[in-house]
Amino acid sequence: MSAIQNLVSHELTTAEIQSVANSIGVLKTTMAFVDNIDPTSVSVKVSMDVANKAFSEDAYAILNSADGPGMIGGFVNSIEMAKDIALWTAMDNIERDLQSILSEVQRAKRAAGSDAFTMALRIYDLVKLAQKSKVANADAAYQKLSARFARIKKTKVKVAK
């Protein structure tokens, strides 16, 4: 048998894990204002995408133009609209960054899981061989590892012929 090639060979330090946890904590604290938003009121309104953002920015520019007050009057709060556009922009940037990071986390998780499980299967094969060869203490190790495969066999549905 040849040695197994690892897809990923990296170890996160305790400090790195804590740093990520702290950053997530800061983000959760920063986003706490969302708890005050009624989800039922948001769902009935139009969702903003990049095209709607450009439209909103154009409307905001008209609102704040010299002719804006004469056309619109006091029906729209310019300050609140500016805050909403800025917040949407910030959330859009954060969402994009989080999606990218999440993709990287998922890829690393899949690679590490694949590496660990591939090695576990190799260990199982070696223990099975050791058990068949009557190596000392191999029987107990084989029984422990083979239990996983016994569970899988029990859960398979038999197809009627």
Side-chain angles (χ1 to χ4, degrees):
M1 288 186 182
S2 61
I4 297 171
Q5 173 97 26
N6 260 9
L7 298 173
V8 61
S9 184
H10 182 76
E11 184 177 347
L12 291 176
T13 66
T14 303
E16 289 171 325
I17 293 169
Q18 188 59 52
S19 176
V20 170
N22 291 343
S23 296
I24 291 170
V26 168
L27 184 58
K28 284 180 178 179
T29 301
T30 302
M31 296 301 300
F33 72 90
V34 174
D35 293 340
N36 298 323
I37 300 172
D38 177 8
T40 59
S41 68
V42 174
S43 64
V44 297
K45 297 185 179 175
V46 175
S47 175
M48 181 128 107
D49 58 15
V50 175
N52 291 347
K53 179 184 182 245
F55 173 78
S56 297
E57 289 171 333
D58 290 344
Y60 177 75
I62 291 169
L63 172 65
N64 288 303
S65 70
D67 297 326
M71 289 187 283
I72 300 159
F75 295 104
V76 177
N77 185 326
S78 174
I79 295 169
E80 289 301 318
M81 186 174 185
K83 286 181 188 177
D84 289 340
I85 292 170
L87 180 60
W88 183 90
T89 302
M91 295 296 103
D92 188 53
N93 291 335
I94 290 170
E95 180 184 40
R96 185 177 44 255
D97 291 344
L98 287 174
Q99 286 172 341
S100 174
I101 290 168
L102 179 59
S103 175
E104 292 172 13
V105 167
Q106 290 169 332
R107 190 171 65 241
K109 180 182 170 185
R110 276 191 307 274
S114 176
D115 284 349
F117 191 67
T118 299
M119 286 184 258
L121 289 173
R122 179 65 60 89
I123 290 167
Y124 173 73
D125 288 341
L126 294 169
V127 167
K128 186 176 175 181
L129 185 62
Q131 188 258 353
K132 285 182 179 182
S133 300
K134 308 286 187 211
V135 172
N137 301 318
D139 194 51
Y142 174 74
Q143 294 304 318
K144 181 175 182 88
L145 295 178
S146 65
R148 180 191 197 289
F149 297 104
R151 285 192 306 267
I152 291 172
K153 287 178 185 175
K154 287 180 184 177
T155 60
K156 287 185 178 177
V157 177
K158 292 184 179 181
V159 178
K161 292 183 180 182

